[in-house]
Amino acid sequence: MNKLSHIPVLCLLLTVPPAQATDPYDKVAVSANEKLVKLFGAGGYRGAESYGTGIIVSPQGHILTAAAPFLDGRELRLHLPDGRKYLFKVKLIEKEFDAAILEIVQAKKELIPLELPFFDVSEYVKNAKAEPGNWVMAMSNMYKVAERDEMMSVQRAMVTSIGKLSARRGQFEVPFHGDVLYLDTVTNNPGAAGGALINRKGELLGMIGKEFRNNQTDTWVNYAMPLTTKAEVILEAGKKTFTLAEFVDLAIQDKWVKSKRPPETDLK
């Protein structure tokens, strides 16, 4: 066989683009970043961070985040992805989910609809599911890497398991004990609480939790609370179970009835 007969085959192989080890995530991350905010405050107990991350869950400026200590402090403000700066107020904190709903405060001269890009929680909870082995992205303002219009940090992770959360930080036990998505990446860093866990389509799967250590191993836990996770809420009429998605939806509509959790069990 003539050696030259191999040349066309070789050229053909060289023109085939190399297989991608991973799907491109840049466009998905940029789109999701438009639906996240950087949170800042002052106060809280000593050693706690005065910053965090929030997920925009309505075009009017309602924000889902973790119930961080600095939310009890002063000078609460946030930065939108485009760099705009707003004050915000805490609409409510629900300890059973260790979560909070915030609301942007507009100046009287700016009382026009914000019409912000947002994660539609009620829609995502119907279709966006996470299972062990799924690749996901965790997006947050960990370590305060973003101040104004900078991009949030993006971490690629895999869901390793789904299970109950049993953890604490120092003397404080985590108030939420429902199912969480355990991740194989160090996602739960300072400032990351309240960040978003999304799939490769950019759909919201859950919220990154606060920093806690596993009760059994005393190691840091990396996890996110899925929209489908459940908590039992004590009401005057008795106990009732809600999902995180239901909590968000009812809170936005001013229909959420805060639980009657005994004060001594609250996590500060």
Side-chain angles (χ1 to χ4, degrees):
M1 181 182 292
N2 192 322
K3 292 182 179 181
L4 294 177
S5 63
H6 291 280
I7 295 178
V9 177
L10 179 61
C11 291
L12 177 62
L13 292 175
L14 289 176
T15 57
V16 175
Q20 297 293 323
T22 60
D23 293 331
Y25 283 86
D26 54 337
K27 292 182 179 179
V28 174
V30 169
S31 177
N33 184 73
E34 296 300 309
K35 304 169 188 175
L36 300 174
V37 297
K38 303 99 175 174
L39 304 174
F40 303 96
Y45 64 81
R46 185 176 180 181
E49 295 80 29
S50 59
Y51 58 94
T53 310
I55 302 168
I56 303 175
V57 290
S58 84
Q60 294 79 31
H62 293 97
I63 296 158
L64 169 67
T65 189
F70 75 86
L71 296 179
D72 292 328
R74 315 174 304 280
E75 303 173 20
L76 299 177
R77 66 192 190 283
L78 61 80
H79 293 164
L80 294 177
D82 60 10
R84 282 182 292 168
K85 178 179 174 182
Y86 284 98
L87 299 178
F88 71 84
K89 64 181 180 180
V90 179
K91 191 175 180 68
L92 66 89
I93 292 178
E94 180 51 71
K95 295 295 185 180
E96 297 300 340
F97 281 108
D98 200 21
I101 296 294
L102 316 177
E103 190 172 6
I104 290 178
V105 177
Q106 288 182 275
K108 291 183 178 180
K109 62 181 179 180
E110 297 178 339
L111 288 180
I112 56 176
L114 288 171
E115 296 300 328
L116 299 173
F118 71 103
F119 286 107
D120 191 337
V121 171
S122 60
E123 284 299 316
Y124 289 136
V125 75
K126 298 175 185 177
N127 305 308
K129 309 296 182 184
E131 300 291 343
N134 289 166
W135 287 107
V136 294
M137 281 192 292
M139 298 187 63
S140 71
N141 194 23
M142 66 162 78
Y143 298 111
K144 200 161 60 173
V145 297
E147 291 279 358
R148 293 300 294 267
D149 60 351
E150 299 91 349
M151 182 84 175
M152 295 279 190
S153 67
V154 183
Q155 295 172 284
R156 184 175 174 184
M158 185 176 72
V159 178
T160 57
S161 63
I162 302 174
K164 301 295 182 184
L165 181 63
S166 175
R168 65 187 309 110
R169 185 170 183 178
Q171 62 178 319
F172 298 117
E173 181 84 13
V174 60
F176 172 76
H177 299 285
D179 286 335
V180 298
L181 306 172
Y182 288 100
L183 308 171
D184 70 344
T185 303
V186 183
T187 53
N188 298 60
N189 295 298
L197 190 76
I198 62 175
N199 60 19
R200 64 180 61 198
K201 296 179 181 179
E203 298 169 325
L204 183 67
L205 299 174
M207 178 184 72
I208 299 172
K210 295 189 295 193
E211 298 171 88
F212 287 106
R213 287 183 179 272
N214 186 294
N215 278 335
Q216 284 72 46
T217 64
D218 198 37
T219 56
W220 293 105
V221 183
N222 296 293
Y223 69 98
M225 298 167 58
L227 296 177
T228 53
T229 197
K230 298 178 180 179
E232 190 176 69
V233 179
I234 302 174
L235 305 172
E236 290 184 356
K239 296 180 180 180
K240 188 174 180 179
T241 301
F242 295 91
T243 65
L244 179 61
E246 289 172 331
F247 160 69
V248 173
D249 186 50
L250 291 171
I252 291 174
Q253 299 181 55
D254 294 319
K255 295 181 179 180
W256 180 258
V257 179
K258 195 173 182 181
S259 65
K260 302 294 182 180
R261 170 187 280 261
E264 62 271 15
T265 63
D266 282 350
L267 178 66
K268 302 297 182 182

